[in-house]
Coordinates of all heavy atoms in Angstrom, one line a residue:
E19 N 27.2 0.2 4.9 CA 25.8 -0.1 5.0 C 25.0 1.0 4.6 O 23.9 0.9 3.9 CB 25.5 -0.5 6.5 CG 26.0 -1.8 7.0 CD 27.5 -1.7 7.5 OE1 28.1 -0.6 7.5 OE2 28.0 -2.8 7.9
E20 N 25.5 2.3 4.9 CA 24.7 3.4 4.5 C 24.7 3.5 2.9 O 23.7 4.0 2.3 CB 25.4 4.7 5.0 CG 24.6 5.9 4.8 CD 25.1 7.2 5.4 OE1 26.1 7.0 6.3 OE2 24.8 8.3 5.0
V21 N 25.8 3.1 2.3 CA 25.8 3.1 0.8 C 24.7 2.2 0.2 O 24.0 2.5 -0.7 CB 27.2 2.6 0.3 CG1 27.2 2.4 -1.2 CG2 28.3 3.5 0.7
I22 N 24.6 1.0 0.8 CA 23.6 0.0 0.4 C 22.2 0.6 0.7 O 21.3 0.5 -0.2 CB 23.8 -1.3 1.0 CG1 25.1 -2.0 0.6 CG2 22.6 -2.3 0.7 CD1 25.6 -3.2 1.4
E23 N 22.0 1.2 1.8 CA 20.7 1.8 2.2 C 20.4 2.8 1.1 O 19.2 3.0 0.7 CB 20.8 2.4 3.6 CG 20.8 1.2 4.7 CD 21.0 1.8 6.0 OE1 21.5 2.9 6.2 OE2 20.8 1.0 7.0
F24 N 21.3 3.7 0.8 CA 21.1 4.7 -0.2 C 20.6 4.1 -1.6 O 19.6 4.6 -2.1 CB 22.3 5.5 -0.5 CG 22.3 6.2 -1.8 CD1 21.6 7.4 -1.9 CD2 22.9 5.8 -3.0 CE1 21.5 8.2 -3.1 CE2 22.8 6.4 -4.2 CZ 22.1 7.6 -4.3
K25 N 21.2 3.0 -2.0 CA 20.8 2.4 -3.3 C 19.4 1.8 -3.2 O 18.6 2.0 -4.1 CB 21.8 1.3 -3.6 CG 21.6 0.6 -4.9 CD 21.7 1.5 -6.1 CE 21.6 0.7 -7.4 NZ 21.9 1.6 -8.6
L26 N 19.1 1.1 -2.1 CA 17.8 0.6 -1.9 C 16.7 1.7 -1.8 O 15.6 1.6 -2.5 CB 17.7 -0.4 -0.8 CG 18.5 -1.6 -0.8 CD1 18.5 -2.3 0.6 CD2 17.9 -2.6 -1.8
D27 N 17.0 2.7 -1.1 CA 16.1 3.8 -1.0 C 15.8 4.5 -2.3 O 14.7 4.8 -2.7 CB 16.6 4.8 0.1 CG 15.6 6.0 0.3 OD1 14.5 5.7 0.8 OD2 15.9 7.1 -0.1
K28 N 16.9 4.7 -3.1 CA 16.7 5.3 -4.3 C 15.9 4.4 -5.3 O 14.9 5.0 -6.0 CB 18.1 5.5 -5.0 CG 18.0 6.0 -6.5 CD 18.8 7.2 -6.8 CE 18.8 7.8 -8.2 NZ 17.5 7.7 -8.9
L29 N 16.1 3.2 -5.4 CA 15.3 2.3 -6.2 C 13.9 2.3 -5.8 O 13.0 2.3 -6.6 CB 15.9 0.9 -6.2 CG 17.3 0.7 -6.8 CD1 17.9 -0.7 -6.4 CD2 17.1 0.8 -8.3
M30 N 13.6 2.1 -4.5 CA 12.2 2.1 -4.0 C 11.5 3.4 -4.2 O 10.3 3.5 -4.6 CB 12.2 1.7 -2.6 CG 12.5 0.2 -2.4 SD 12.2 -0.3 -0.7 CE 13.3 -1.6 -0.7
T31 N 12.2 4.6 -4.0 CA 11.6 5.9 -4.2 C 11.2 6.0 -5.7 O 10.2 6.5 -5.9 CB 12.6 7.0 -3.7 OG1 12.8 6.8 -2.3 CG2 12.0 8.3 -4.0
D32 N 12.1 5.7 -6.5 CA 11.8 5.8 -8.0 C 10.6 4.9 -8.3 O 9.7 5.4 -9.1 CB 13.0 5.4 -8.9 CG 14.2 6.3 -8.8 OD1 14.0 7.5 -8.2 OD2 15.3 6.0 -9.2
W33 N 10.5 3.7 -7.8 CA 9.4 2.8 -8.1 C 8.1 3.5 -7.5 O 7.0 3.5 -8.2 CB 9.6 1.4 -7.5 CG 8.5 0.5 -7.8 CD1 8.2 -0.1 -8.9 CD2 7.4 0.1 -6.9 NE1 7.1 -0.9 -8.8 CE2 6.6 -0.7 -7.6 CE3 7.1 0.5 -5.6 CZ2 5.4 -1.3 -7.0 CZ3 6.0 -0.1 -4.9 CH2 5.1 -0.9 -5.7
I34 N 8.2 4.0 -6.2 CA 7.0 4.6 -5.7 C 6.5 5.8 -6.5 O 5.3 5.9 -6.7 CB 7.2 5.0 -4.2 CG1 7.3 3.7 -3.4 CG2 6.1 5.8 -3.6 CD1 7.9 3.9 -2.0
E35 N 7.4 6.6 -6.9 CA 7.1 7.8 -7.7 C 6.4 7.4 -9.0 O 5.4 8.0 -9.4 CB 8.3 8.7 -8.0 CG 8.8 9.3 -6.7 CD 7.7 10.2 -6.1 OE1 7.0 11.0 -6.8 OE2 7.6 10.1 -4.9
H36 N 6.9 6.3 -9.6 CA 6.3 5.8 -10.8 C 4.8 5.3 -10.5 O 3.9 5.5 -11.3 CB 7.1 4.7 -11.5 CG 6.4 4.0 -12.6 ND1 6.3 4.6 -13.9 CD2 5.8 2.8 -12.7 CE1 5.6 3.8 -14.6 NE2 5.4 2.7 -14.0
E37 N 4.7 4.6 -9.4 CA 3.4 4.0 -9.1 C 2.4 5.1 -8.8 O 1.2 4.9 -9.1 CB 3.6 3.1 -7.8 CG 4.1 1.8 -8.1 CD 3.4 1.0 -9.1 OE1 2.1 0.8 -9.0 OE2 3.9 0.4 -10.0
K38 N 2.8 6.2 -8.3 CA 1.9 7.3 -8.1 C 1.2 7.9 -9.3 O 0.2 8.5 -9.3 CB 2.6 8.5 -7.3 CG 2.9 8.2 -5.9 CD 3.7 9.4 -5.3 CE 4.0 9.1 -3.9 NZ 4.8 10.2 -3.3
T39 N 1.9 7.6 -10.5 CA 1.3 8.1 -11.7 C 0.3 7.1 -12.3 O -0.4 7.4 -13.3 CB 2.4 8.2 -12.8 OG1 3.0 6.9 -13.1 CG2 3.5 9.1 -12.3
I40 N 0.1 5.9 -11.7 CA -0.8 4.9 -12.3 C -2.1 5.1 -11.5 O -2.1 5.0 -10.2 CB -0.3 3.5 -12.1 CG1 1.0 3.4 -12.9 CG2 -1.3 2.5 -12.6 CD1 1.8 2.2 -12.7
R41 N -3.3 5.3 -12.1 CA -4.5 5.5 -11.5 C -5.4 4.2 -11.6 O -5.2 3.4 -12.4 CB -5.3 6.6 -12.2 CG -4.5 7.9 -12.2 CD -4.7 8.6 -10.9 NE -4.0 10.0 -10.9 CZ -3.1 10.2 -10.1 NH1 -2.8 9.5 -9.1 NH2 -2.5 11.5 -10.2
N42 N -6.4 4.2 -10.6 CA -7.4 3.1 -10.7 C -6.7 1.7 -10.7 O -7.0 1.0 -11.7 CB -8.4 3.3 -11.8 CG -9.1 4.7 -11.6 OD1 -9.3 5.1 -10.5 ND2 -9.4 5.3 -12.7
T43 N -5.9 1.3 -9.8 CA -5.3 0.0 -9.8 C -5.8 -0.8 -8.7 O -6.1 -0.2 -7.6 CB -3.8 0.2 -9.8 OG1 -3.2 -1.0 -10.0 CG2 -3.3 0.7 -8.5
S44 N -6.0 -2.1 -8.9 CA -6.4 -2.9 -7.8 C -5.3 -3.4 -6.9 O -4.1 -3.2 -7.3 CB -7.0 -4.2 -8.4 OG -6.1 -5.0 -9.0
A45 N -5.6 -3.9 -5.7 CA -4.5 -4.3 -4.8 C -3.7 -5.4 -5.5 O -2.5 -5.5 -5.4 CB -5.2 -4.8 -3.5
C46 N -4.4 -6.3 -6.2 CA -3.6 -7.4 -6.9 C -2.7 -6.9 -8.0 O -1.5 -7.3 -8.1 CB -4.7 -8.4 -7.5 SG -3.9 -9.8 -8.2
E47 N -3.2 -5.9 -8.7 CA -2.3 -5.3 -9.8 C -1.1 -4.6 -9.2 O 0.0 -4.7 -9.6 CB -3.0 -4.2 -10.6 CG -4.1 -4.9 -11.5 CD -5.1 -3.9 -12.1 OE1 -5.3 -2.8 -11.5 OE2 -5.7 -4.2 -13.2
L48 N -1.3 -4.0 -8.0 CA -0.2 -3.3 -7.3 C 0.8 -4.3 -6.8 O 2.0 -4.1 -6.9 CB -0.7 -2.4 -6.2 CG 0.3 -1.7 -5.4 CD1 1.2 -0.8 -6.2 CD2 -0.3 -0.9 -4.2
A49 N 0.2 -5.4 -6.2 CA 1.1 -6.5 -5.7 C 1.9 -7.1 -6.8 O 3.1 -7.4 -6.6 CB 0.3 -7.5 -5.0
I50 N 1.3 -7.3 -8.0 CA 2.0 -7.9 -9.1 C 3.2 -6.9 -9.5 O 4.3 -7.4 -9.7 CB 1.1 -8.1 -10.3 CG1 0.2 -9.4 -9.9 CG2 1.9 -8.4 -11.6 CD1 -1.0 -9.6 -10.9
R51 N 2.9 -5.6 -9.6 CA 4.0 -4.7 -10.0 C 5.0 -4.6 -8.9 O 6.2 -4.4 -9.3 CB 3.4 -3.3 -10.3 CG 2.6 -3.3 -11.6 CD 2.3 -1.9 -12.1 NE 1.6 -1.0 -11.1 CZ 0.2 -1.0 -11.0 NH1 -0.5 -1.8 -11.7 NH2 -0.3 -0.2 -10.1

């Protein structure tokens, strides 16, 4: 289970880090992404 948690955490962390680089986005645009 920890292996799967690692994979999910890595994927989500990478996505969040990418999202932090995007400026001036609406809630709808964020939800779509």
